[in-house]
């Protein structure tokens, strides 16, 4: 595992009761992986990603169920360095990012984006934004 002093790659998590967004973000390369997983599968998914990307640094949003998610991650592996950060306005930013990366097609492009809801959860984009916020402050 890499040093927690100045990691280049981190795992961002948007915690939730039923599902969690996960993003692996590299300081220079940007987003490496985006996923939404059931909360019950989170510890396994994080363990797999931590091994694959050789990181132990987790950036956890302070939203719904973050205490339970943090406890579950700590029980799964005590080698994680978990930073809990404010997730204010990340859902709105994630919707904007979603539409930037997945612009509406066909007739949907005529409808203002503010009136549309993304057709899939944006939790993974929230996780990426959390990770990017943390990395930018380092």
């Amino acid at each position: 595992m890499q040093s927690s002093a100045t990691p280049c790659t981190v795992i961002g998590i948007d915690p939730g009761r039923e599902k969690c967004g996960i993003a692996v973000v590299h300081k220079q390369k940007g987003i490496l992986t985006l996923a939404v997983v059931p909360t019950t599968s989170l510890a396994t998914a994080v363990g797999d990603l931590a091994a694959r990307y050789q990181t132990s640094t987790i950036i956890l949003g302070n939203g719904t169920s973050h205490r339970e998610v943090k406890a579950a991650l700590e029980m799964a592996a005590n080698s994680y360095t978990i930073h809990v950060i404010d997730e204010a306005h990340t859902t709105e930013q994630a919707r904007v990012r979603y539409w930037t990366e997945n612009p509406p097609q066909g007739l949907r492009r005529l409808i203002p984006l503010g009136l549309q809801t993304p057709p899939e959860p944006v939790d993974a984009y929230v996780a990426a934004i959390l990770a990017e916020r943390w990395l930018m402050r380092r």
Side-chain angles (χ1 to χ4, degrees), residues 13-14 39 68 81 83 110 127 137:
I13 301 174
D14 176 31
T39 302
E68 294 86 355
T81 302
H83 302 275
L110 301 175
R137 293 180 184 149

Side-chain angles (χ1 to χ4, degrees), residues 115-137:
L115 299 177
Q116 296 189 52
T117 301
E120 59 189 78
V122 295
D123 305 78
Y125 286 97
V126 171
I129 290 166
L130 292 169
E132 290 166 348
R133 280 185 183 178
W134 189 85
L135 285 168
M136 288 179 69
R137 293 180 184 149

Side-chain angles (χ1 to χ4, degrees), residues 1-13 23-25 46 50 53-60 73 79-83 131 134-135 138:
M1 297 281 166
Q2 72 188 37
S3 168
S4 61
T6 55
C8 288
T9 304
V10 299
I11 299 172
I13 301 174
V24 178
V25 179
V46 169
Y53 292 100
Q54 300 180 346
T55 185
S56 62
T57 303
I58 297 175
I59 312 307
L60 180 65
L73 291 171
S79 61
Y80 295 140
T81 302
I82 302 173
H83 302 275
W134 189 85
L135 285 168
R138 299 293 171 264

Side-chain angles (χ1 to χ4, degrees), residues 26 29-30 51 59 71 76 83 97-98 119:
H26 186 275
K29 297 177 186 175
I59 312 307
H83 302 275
R97 169 92 55 97
Y98 176 87

